[in-house]
Amino acid sequence: MKHQKYDLYRNTATTIFEFKSIGPNGEIKKIIIFSPTQTKEIYNLAFGDLLHDEVQKRYILDDSIITDNGDRNVILATVAKSVYTFTEKYPEKMVFFKGSTDGRTRLYRRAISINLEELSETFTIFGAVRNESGNITTAPFKTDGEFLGFIIKRKEL
């Protein structure tokens, strides 16, 4: 994506990324985690603020906070950068993601739509939909589609 991006710091497995959102509300630590699902070839992308749980003395990912730091496009481009990096290391894996709310899922659809030409050079993009039987399946991505989430797969070279 042709937007400014934050510097990403990752673990050696390239499954956890951290960066800082910088804006009027200060520096806010963000985390992106790629975790396996029950389907071997699909990884879930989780993204949110990195918070310290004082009671349990551990760090947690909170995907419900609205930090409103004025850098939404930079954050989305940074998350996209992590997907490029993850799928470069694991080209056989697909990445599933959705928003923690319907509004965030629509925001992700708009971000994909705006950058579809560029993203389509590297990825095949699907939307997750519920079929007539009530099961979740995939459909080709459409800019006006109503999706439960998204699955992307790096194209083979």
Side-chain angles (χ1 to χ4, degrees):
M1 295 171 65
K2 293 179 172 65
H3 296 280
Q4 175 187 348
K5 299 164 198 70
Y6 289 118
D7 291 333
L8 279 170
Y9 303 94
R10 65 181 176 186
N11 67 347
T12 55
T14 312
T15 55
I16 301 173
F17 295 79
E18 291 183 28
F19 67 96
K20 290 181 184 174
S21 162
I22 302 168
N25 295 322
E27 289 187 2
I28 300 167
K29 288 184 180 182
K30 303 283 188 178
I31 188 166
I32 305 160
I33 300 173
F34 293 88
S35 56
T37 66
Q38 292 178 347
T39 305
K40 183 176 86 169
E41 63 274 358
I42 299 177
Y43 271 61
N44 183 70
L45 183 161
F47 161 70
D49 286 11
L50 180 62
L51 304 176
H52 189 262
D53 183 331
E54 296 295 332
V55 175
Q56 296 187 10
K57 302 293 185 210
R58 64 184 178 102
Y59 286 95
I60 58 170
L61 180 156
D62 187 334
D63 65 357
S64 64
I65 292 177
I66 299 172
T67 52
D68 200 21
N69 218 9
D71 58 349
R72 180 192 67 207
N73 292 342
V74 180
I75 288 172
L76 291 174
T78 303
V79 173
K81 179 180 171 183
S82 76
V83 174
Y84 277 92
T85 304
F86 175 81
T87 60
E88 185 174 58
K89 181 163 184 164
Y90 304 105
E92 73 285 1
K93 302 298 183 192
M94 291 182 270
V95 177
F96 172 79
F97 62 98
K98 68 182 193 84
S100 58
T101 66
D102 290 344
R104 286 187 179 179
T105 300
R106 284 190 300 275
L107 170 66
Y108 300 158
R109 186 195 71 217
R110 285 193 306 270
I112 292 168
S113 297
I114 291 167
N115 297 285
L116 187 58
E117 184 177 338
E118 179 185 349
L119 291 168
S120 294
E121 292 173 7
T122 305
F123 300 107
T124 302
I125 305 166
F126 301 95
V129 295
R130 194 171 305 280
N131 65 19
E132 298 82 32
S133 309
N135 298 320
I136 296 176
T137 187
T138 60
F141 179 83
K142 294 183 186 175
T143 57
D144 62 348
E146 289 295 322
F147 299 112
L148 303 171
F150 309 93
I151 296 176
I152 63 170
K153 168 93 171 99
R154 184 175 273 270
K155 291 179 177 177
E156 293 184 29
L157 299 175

